[in-house]
Amino acid sequence: MKADSTRFAILGSGSAANGYVFESGNFSFIIDNGYSLSEFRRRMKQLDFSESKLTFIFLTHHHSDHFKGVEPLSSALGIPVVTHKDMPLEKYCKKEGLHRLDIIPGKEYSFDSLQFRCFETSHDAASSVGYHFTLNNLSFTIITDTGIVSDEMMFLAAKSDYLFLESNYSPELLHNGPYPDFLKRRILSDKGHLSNLDAAVCMSRLSEMENLRLKKIFLCHLSEKNNNVEKVKEEVSRIYEGAIPYAICPRNDCLSQKTLIRSD
C-alpha cells in the first residue's frame, strides 16, 4: 500500500513563544501558539504549511508563551481549542465565546487519522497537560513545562517515535543569573521546569527501556536567560550516553522534519 506523508515542525520554542504543527494529507493541527497571528502565518509560510488545513489547536496550558496567539488564531480560522476540561481559559481570553473542546487526562480520543490523549504535567498553571498522539501510525509525545517526569510520561515517551522534551535551564546559569530568588525557587521546584540534567537523566532512562521505538528526541523550551545550545550540549553529555539520537532546538528558531510512514 502506498505510504502516507506526515510532516511536523517546531514553529518556535523557548521562554518567549512556542508552537508545533503536524500534518498528514489535508489534515493538520497545532499544539500551542505563543505567536501573534501575523508572526504565526509568517512561520507557517516559511515552513510551507497551509493554515487552511488546520482543524484543531491543542493547548498545554494558559501561560502566555503558549497561549498568547491561540485565541486570535481560533477566531480567525474558526477552529476549536482542545484543552483540559478544567483549564480556566475564559479568565485569560480577551473576548467571549472561545470554542473549546474539553478532554479528560488519560482518556483516549480519535479524529480522522489522529488518536490522542493528554496527561497531567506538574507546573504552576491550572490544569496543565502534555500530549501523546498517533498520526498515521507515527507517534509523538510532548513533555514540556513540568517540574517532574512521571511514570506515565516515561511510558508514553517510550511508545513514541518522536519525543519533544523540555531542557529549560542550566542549573549553573540559573544559580548565577539575574533572576530574583523567588523566581529561581519556582523554576527549580516540582511545579517548575526540567533542567538540562533532568532531561539527560530522562533520556538515559529511556535508552535503557525494552521495546523502545524512539527515533529521535528534540530538546526544546530553552530559557532565554538561563540556557543556550552550547550549555545543553555540555550538560547533557555529562550524563547521557544512550543510542537515541537527539537534536537541540535553538530558541525561537523553526525546525522542520518530513517522513514517510506505512499505512496499514
Side-chain angles (χ1 to χ4, degrees):
M1 184 175 290
K2 185 178 179 180
D4 289 327
S5 176
T6 295
R7 293 197 300 156
F8 62 92
I10 298 174
L11 297 175
S13 176
S15 54
N18 298 273
Y20 308 80
V21 59
F22 302 85
E23 179 186 279
S24 180
N26 290 318
F27 171 71
S28 71
F29 60 93
I30 65 168
I31 295 182
D32 292 337
N33 179 30
Y35 295 100
S36 67
L37 188 59
S38 59
E39 180 62 16
F40 172 82
R41 285 173 165 164
R42 187 189 72 79
R43 288 170 182 262
M44 287 281 283
K45 185 176 181 179
Q46 176 182 336
L47 294 166
D48 195 29
F49 282 88
S50 172
E51 68 178 55
S52 66
K53 298 180 181 181
L54 288 173
T55 305
F56 299 110
I57 304 171
F58 289 81
L59 181 63
T60 60
H61 63 294
H62 59 71
H63 285 165
S64 63
D65 56 323
H66 298 259
F67 179 62
K68 176 182 177 182
V70 167
E71 185 182 7
L73 183 63
S74 175
S75 176
L77 300 184
I79 58 176
V81 179
V82 181
T83 184
H84 189 302
K85 67 179 184 64
D86 295 329
M87 194 179 295
L89 280 187
E90 286 69 24
K91 289 175 57 178
Y92 306 96
C93 290
K94 296 180 180 179
K95 300 178 182 178
E96 295 183 359
L98 182 68
H99 182 194
R100 57 186 286 173
L101 296 178
D102 292 344
I103 58 175
I104 300 170
K107 185 175 180 180
E108 301 285 345
Y109 298 86
S110 64
F111 179 87
D112 196 58
S113 56
L114 174 68
Q115 296 82 44
F116 68 93
R117 62 183 280 188
C118 72
F119 53 88
E120 294 181 337
T121 54
S122 182
H123 198 48
D124 61 348
S127 305
S128 63
V129 295
Y131 289 96
H132 171 79
F133 55 93
T134 300
L135 184 62
N136 279 334
N137 300 327
L138 197 66
S139 293
F140 305 82
T141 297
I142 293 182
I143 302 173
T144 69
D145 297 84
T146 184
I148 62 173
V149 178
S150 66
D151 290 342
E152 180 182 22
M153 295 176 191
M154 292 294 295
F155 171 75
L156 295 172
K159 292 173 56 178
S160 304
D161 294 285
Y162 294 94
L163 170 64
F164 303 88
L165 179 64
E166 178 172 61
S167 191
N168 179 253
Y169 67 93
S170 157
E172 177 188 346
L173 294 184
L174 178 63
H175 176 73
N176 296 318
Y179 282 7
D181 287 344
F182 81 89
L183 186 52
K184 291 180 180 180
R185 289 194 296 270
R186 170 199 168 244
I187 293 169
L188 289 164
S189 76
D190 286 350
K191 294 290 186 178
H193 292 277
L194 298 178
S195 71
N196 298 336
L197 302 181
D198 293 329
V201 169
C202 178
M203 294 163 63
S204 296
R205 290 174 58 196
L206 284 168
S207 67
E208 296 171 355
M209 296 178 71
E210 296 182 356
N211 302 316
L212 188 72
R213 64 184 282 177
L214 269 173
K215 295 179 174 68
K216 195 168 188 178
I217 297 172
F218 296 93
L219 296 177
C220 55
H221 209 284
L222 275 63
S223 167
E224 181 178 357
K225 300 291 187 181
N226 304 306
N227 213 359
N228 57 63
V229 171
E230 291 305 315
K231 207 63 180 175
V232 177
K233 290 178 182 177
E234 174 194 333
E235 293 182 347
V236 167
S237 65
R238 292 182 200 168
I239 296 173
Y240 180 65
E241 297 179 345
I244 309 168
Y246 68 93
I248 303 169
C249 304
R251 286 186 303 272
N252 210 32
D253 282 1
C254 297
L255 187 153
S256 181
Q257 182 149 341
K258 180 176 180 180
T259 187
L260 292 178
I261 56 175
R262 290 181 292 106
S263 294
D264 289 340

